[in-house]
Amino acid sequence: MSTDIVITGLGATTPVGGDVDSTWAALLEGRSGVRTIEADWAERFDLPVRIAAPLAVEPTEVLPRVQARRMDRCEQIAIIVARQAWADAGFEMPTDEAHTVDPDRLGVAIGTGVGGPVTLLNQDDILETSGLRKVSPLTVPMLMPNGPAAHVGIDLKARAGVHSPASACASGAEGLAAGWRMIASGEADVVVAGGAEACIHQITVAGFAQSRTLSTRNDEPARASRPFDVDRDGFVLGEGAGALVLERGDHARARGARIYGRLAGVGITSDAYHITGNHPEGIGQINAISKALRTGELSTSDIGHLNAHATSTVVGDVGEAAAVRKAIGDHVVVTAPKGSLGHLVGGAGAVESIVTVLSLYNGVIPATSNLEQLDPKVELDVVAGEPRKVDLRAAVNDSFGFGGHNVALSFTTV
Amino acid sequence: MADVSNEEILKGLGEIVEEVAGVAADDVSLEKSFVDDLDIDSLSMVEIAVQAEDKFGVKIPDDELANLKTVNDAVEYVSKNG
């Protein structure tokens, strides 16, 4: 087992920016990506939720037209962030003749919560209105949840295995965990890992609204997502993707790569309790964090920072805060990027891991947007107002998903 | 398709191929093979056939589509069956 696994490339497209630099800058400024839904369906179905966090940059503005038309939006953004991360790591795009890494030692692990349901629904509409002839032959490859990972694998000519974890809102973090395991087990030298989601649609908003998990602060979109704030009332559905190049440490150093930090350890647990609700004592969350420290050979006192899942729901944020106190202690400095980003579902764990890595790398933690009055039940030091400069050695990012999935990742500086 | 010349069919086919597969319409010349020269996969061929059916008012059953290897094959087929 080699667990010296480093991060050499980052890529993201989010509601606040079309790349990592613009997203990071927006987080430091505390800008919000939440907008009023412009499509007519929110009003037509009289949905209680009229806000969402769409991408800041349309993927069709980035990808060549023909490539874009063959992919679901979720696949488009997976390709975009993987290419960003790949270039950021200093690699050239592979050709049939040349590849800058051994393709048999290159893997992909890109998770998604739901993949391409919008394609599924659109093509079903086409079948109903225009008949079989008009149904796209690309329907199945566009809707399948392994599509984002598979497209990235083809694009980068990765032959060591392509994984597509699906664990709802923990999918992006599980993508990173899967990538870590591929390198730790010796199956790969380099893995492009992360998550993607693009499912803002009348049925997803309606479905989440019916489960009473979304914010209805429709008249103040920018203030709607407010993790840990006493006035939070639910999450805001967003779309986005993140990818990280994970690399065996000696492989990265041999080629003189810039190293952002280490993905030191991973912890995955399952609640075995309820399909949407968290375990009331947070056992699964606590154990996931503890496991991420153990596999990373870290102690609780090493961890200076926690990048929280905190979606801005009434119940979830308090439960997580209690679990973090138990698993790590109250000394960690906490932030919750969803205040700016909204909830990127399968993209969340990956994008928020990038934020965690940059906090370690730059020694500054972005503030939690819209945190005006800390819920007294959240007994943690949560950064509010301005970013906080800190000297950090290690941090944890945690993600939890419907189904009782808990994924924690521990990161260190190098 | 007596009122449409082979040149017009070739031009129309070129537009469809450009839309579906991103190959420049000018590159869609008679001697080219869809698969070997224009790098068009089987999924795109289905889309091209459906659009050609609409544009030229022909039927292209699957067993006929399989025989359309070159652009010339397609132009001839449309010309005869339109």
Side-chain angles (χ1 to χ4, degrees):
Chain A
M1 285 264 293
S2 165
T3 55
D4 178 23
I5 296 163
V6 301
I7 296 147
T8 54
L10 305 174
T13 185
T14 73
V16 295
D19 57 21
V20 170
D21 287 349
S22 57
T23 297
W24 176 247
L27 287 170
L28 290 178
E29 290 165 19
R31 270 193 283 123
S32 169
V34 181
R35 309 270 179 272
T36 299
I37 293 170
E38 288 173 13
D40 69 336
W41 43 259
E43 196 173 330
R44 190 149 47 89
F45 295 109
D46 197 23
L47 299 185
V49 176
R50 305 291 172 93
I51 51 177
L55 289 167
V57 175
E58 276 300 305
T60 49
E61 291 172 19
V62 180
L63 285 179
R65 178 189 63 83
V66 170
Q67 194 162 38
R69 75 185 288 283
R70 292 175 65 92
M71 294 180 195
D72 182 85
R73 188 174 175 86
C74 185
E75 297 171 336
Q76 294 171 358
I77 59 177
I79 282 276
I80 288 169
V81 299
R83 286 179 182 173
Q84 289 176 359
W86 188 253
D88 190 45
F91 293 132
E92 302 286 333
M93 284 304 286
T95 65
D96 288 336
E97 293 77 35
H99 206 307
T100 43
V101 303
D102 178 355
D104 292 323
R105 303 282 303 162
L106 171 62
V108 171
I110 307 267
T112 182
V114 293
V118 179
T119 289
L120 174 68
L121 292 161
N122 289 347
Q123 293 298 323
D124 187 59
D125 285 348
I126 288 170
L127 180 63
E128 289 284 356
T129 56
S130 307
L132 173 66
R133 293 178 67 255
K134 294 291 186 180
V135 172
S136 170
L138 293 158
T139 299
V140 173
M142 285 171 73
L143 71 84
M144 61 193 196
N146 57 315
H151 273 293
V152 170
I154 293 164
D155 200 45
L156 300 178
K157 301 187 189 299
R159 301 203 183 106
V162 168
H163 298 268
S164 36
S167 47
C169 309
S171 303
E174 195 174 335
L176 288 168
W180 184 90
R181 286 173 171 177
M182 286 180 84
I183 298 175
S185 67
E187 290 175 79
D189 296 328
V190 180
V191 178
V192 177
E197 204 79 69
C199 68
I200 299 174
H201 184 278
Q202 60 195 32
I203 190 60
T204 48
V205 174
F208 278 125
Q210 285 295 79
S211 72
R212 306 296 193 269
T213 47
L214 294 179
S215 170
T216 56
R217 196 183 286 265
N218 297 321
D219 49 349
E220 295 179 297
R223 299 182 70 227
S225 184
R226 37 198 317 115
F228 298 128
D229 187 85
V230 72
D231 289 328
R232 69 192 180 281
D233 73 328
F235 74 84
V236 175
L237 182 63
E239 56 180 0
L244 296 83
V245 173
L246 306 180
E247 194 167 350
R248 224 182 55 232
D250 58 338
H251 189 278
R253 281 183 280 274
R255 67 183 186 88
R258 174 207 33 215
I259 296 173
Y260 286 105
R262 286 174 65 231
L263 176 52
V266 308
I268 298 180
T269 64
S270 42
D271 280 355
Y273 173 70
H274 187 270
I275 197 66
T276 57
N278 294 327
H279 191 282
E281 286 153 42
I283 294 166
Q285 298 185 357
I286 295 166
N287 288 344
I289 294 170
S290 300
K291 215 167 166 180
L293 300 195
R294 203 163 58 244
T295 51
E297 296 176 357
L298 295 162
S299 65
T300 54
S301 59
D302 294 325
I303 308 300
H305 170 46
L306 178 107
N307 188 301
H309 183 65
T311 63
S312 180
T313 60
V314 173
V315 176
D317 292 12
V318 172
E320 179 180 0
V324 168
R325 268 177 69 93
K326 282 186 190 147
I328 305 176
D330 59 6
H331 62 280
V332 282
V333 181
V334 177
T335 195
K338 289 184 182 74
S340 285
L341 299 171
H343 191 347
L344 310 186
V345 193
V351 170
E352 290 163 15
S353 287
I354 290 170
V355 177
T356 312
V357 169
L358 289 175
S359 294
L360 281 172
Y361 188 67
N362 294 319
V364 58
I365 300 170
T368 303
S369 291
N370 298 315
L371 176 51
E372 290 166 13
Q373 192 185 341
L374 188 67
D375 184 331
K377 294 200 275 297
V378 176
E379 296 172 283
L380 288 170
D381 177 7
V382 186
V383 184
E386 293 292 318
R388 193 182 303 176
K389 286 189 178 163
V390 276
D391 189 22
L392 294 170
R393 193 178 97 69
V396 168
N397 173 242
D398 58 11
S399 296
F400 315 118
F402 276 6
H405 304 269
N406 310 294
V407 182
L409 306 166
S410 62
F411 298 90
T412 67
T413 54
V414 283
Chain B
M1 188 168 265
D3 53 341
V4 179
S5 70
N6 279 15
E7 268 178 44
E8 285 170 293
I9 295 170
L10 177 62
K11 184 167 172 286
L13 208 53
E15 288 164 2
I16 293 170
V17 172
E18 179 163 327
E19 156 67 19
V20 171
V23 176
D26 291 348
D27 289 340
V28 183
S29 52
L30 291 175
E31 77 285 1
K32 296 272 174 69
S33 154
F34 287 109
V35 174
D36 297 333
D37 297 324
L38 301 178
D39 203 21
I40 292 168
D41 66 14
S42 60
L43 299 177
S44 292
M45 279 305 289
V46 173
E47 284 194 273
I48 289 166
V50 169
Q51 291 200 20
E53 287 183 337
D54 289 347
K55 191 162 199 153
F56 303 116
V58 293
K59 286 271 172 238
I60 310 177
D62 282 359
D63 50 352
E64 294 290 349
L65 180 60
N67 295 327
L68 305 181
K69 307 285 189 204
T70 66
V71 176
N72 191 54
D73 294 341
V75 171
E76 290 289 328
Y77 181 87
V78 170
S79 178
K80 277 187 197 141
N81 297 281

